[in-house]
Amino acid sequence: MPNDTITAVSGITAGHWTHETGLTGCTAVLAPAGAIASVDVRGGAPATRETDLLRSGNLVDRVHGVMLSGGSAFGLDTASGAMRWLEERGHGFPVTAGVVPIVPAACLYDFTITEGKVRPDASAGYDACRSASSDPVVCGSVGAGAGVTVGKALGAERAMRGGLGSAVEQAASGVQVGAVVAVNSWGEVLDPANGSVVAGVRAELRGEFHSSIDVLRDRASASPFAAAENSTLAVVATDAGLTKDQAQRLAVMAQTGLARTIRPVHTPVDGDIVFALATCESDADVDVMQLGALAARAVERAVLRAVREAVSLPGLPAARDWASDGR
């Protein structure tokens, strides 16, 4: 079978560290040879590291990996482990003392279904890098998607499992653009093909859902709401030769994939973020409009794969088990 994940992009590898009982983990997306990079932060509650250097005009334009992690802000420590792994192999920004690997990171809050006693740390980040390969990315309840939830408008008791997904799209020129997404949204996940809810706020009957929009519409303005305990984290990557500004536009356009599949998205209590990487290994002409549209489509498909491949926990069903037809 062809590789329909982000590792189909030349120059990209990926790997997970998952704590099965702690229900947390991290995911490394690596570009050891360096990738032009940028970022677009839309959520109101981000937990990030090394995003300022990705702004246009700043010195460093290449990164050597991106870490996506659970553990809330504690999970940012996974980037230190990734730096150590990359440095040991000579990958990084050259300095007089050797190399400094550049590894931006973003974290999500996955303590909703645990007490947060297990948190991804530097050793977890190192192990995720050690497991990284160009094999198809394992999706579902793994890595940064191990302990995530979606559809929290009526609290955790009505939520469902989120997950981690990946997909890739190819342009006629052969250029690839892929995405990996860890879905931990306050809102519900929709299939844009028909507008149906795939995973969200569970209603009383199996296979049925409450609308997050209706919950928002009907609540009293002063009623308590969820804290900043949500985030959807994404990396999009292409083998096209982009500039830093073009990579930033790619990240912006890729956010459309989140807007198509998550309702509502980019809220004050979500730390939604998209990193964009360009390995520049293809010599095909660059069409940023085309790549951006395909990146959004890859994100869209990755979000749906994340929740469809997640597995249920007691009292917290995944989409595959909540569907009314049992699929």
Side-chain angles (χ1 to χ4, degrees), residues 133-150:
S133 74
S134 58
D135 293 340
V137 177
V138 177
C139 298
S141 302
V142 296
V148 294
T149 51
V150 302

Side-chain angles (χ1 to χ4, degrees), residues 10-281:
S10 180
I12 296 293
T13 61
H16 302 305
W17 174 86
T18 305
H19 197 290
E20 299 290 349
T21 58
L23 297 176
T24 192
C26 61
T27 298
V29 180
L30 302 179
I36 301 296
S38 191
V39 67
D40 186 64
V41 181
R42 293 292 172 97
T48 58
R49 168 172 164 162
E50 294 276 48
T51 52
D52 279 352
L53 64 80
L54 300 180
R55 294 178 181 172
S56 180
N58 288 346
L59 174 64
V60 175
D61 62 356
R62 287 181 178 267
V63 306
H64 305 91
V66 176
M67 290 298 306
L68 306 180
S69 181
S72 191
F74 295 106
L76 293 174
D77 195 32
T78 57
S80 297
M83 289 181 68
R84 178 163 61 89
W85 189 89
L86 287 160
E87 182 189 25
E88 289 173 357
R89 288 153 183 79
H91 303 301
F93 185 80
V95 295
T96 55
V99 295
V100 177
I102 308 299
V103 185
C107 294
L108 52 82
Y109 185 99
D110 54 1
F111 300 163
T112 300
I113 55 176
T114 71
E115 296 179 359
K117 293 181 178 179
V118 179
R119 304 160 183 169
D121 57 13
S123 63
Y126 187 96
D127 287 346
C129 293
R130 187 164 55 184
S131 73
S133 74
S134 58
D135 293 340
V137 177
V138 177
C139 298
S141 302
V142 296
V148 294
T149 51
V150 302
K152 286 164 271 192
L154 292 178
E157 62 273 15
R158 292 287 185 180
M160 291 180 63
R161 291 214 75 178
L164 181 137
S166 188
V168 71
E169 296 285 331
Q170 181 172 302
S173 64
V175 167
Q176 305 263 18
V177 56
V180 61
V181 186
V183 185
N184 187 53
S185 58
W186 186 91
E188 60 217 16
V189 174
L190 305 157
D191 185 342
N194 55 26
S196 64
V197 177
V198 179
V201 185
R202 287 178 288 137
E204 290 69 25
L205 295 178
R206 180 183 173 189
E208 295 188 2
F209 300 92
H210 292 290
S211 165
S212 296
I213 300 302
D214 288 344
V215 173
L216 284 170
R217 179 184 291 114
D218 296 340
R219 75 184 178 106
S221 60
S223 63
F225 245 59
E229 299 176 352
N230 318 279
S231 291
T232 297
L233 313 177
V235 179
V236 296
T238 180
D239 51 7
L242 303 185
T243 65
K244 197 172 185 179
D245 286 345
Q246 289 173 327
Q248 204 272 331
R249 180 52 52 187
L250 186 69
V252 169
M253 293 185 70
Q255 290 274 12
T256 308
L258 299 185
R260 289 176 186 154
T261 53
I262 299 173
R263 183 180 66 188
V265 72
H266 308 146
T267 78
V269 297
D270 284 273
D272 301 335
I273 184 169
V274 175
F275 294 95
L277 308 178
T279 63
C280 305
E281 295 199 6

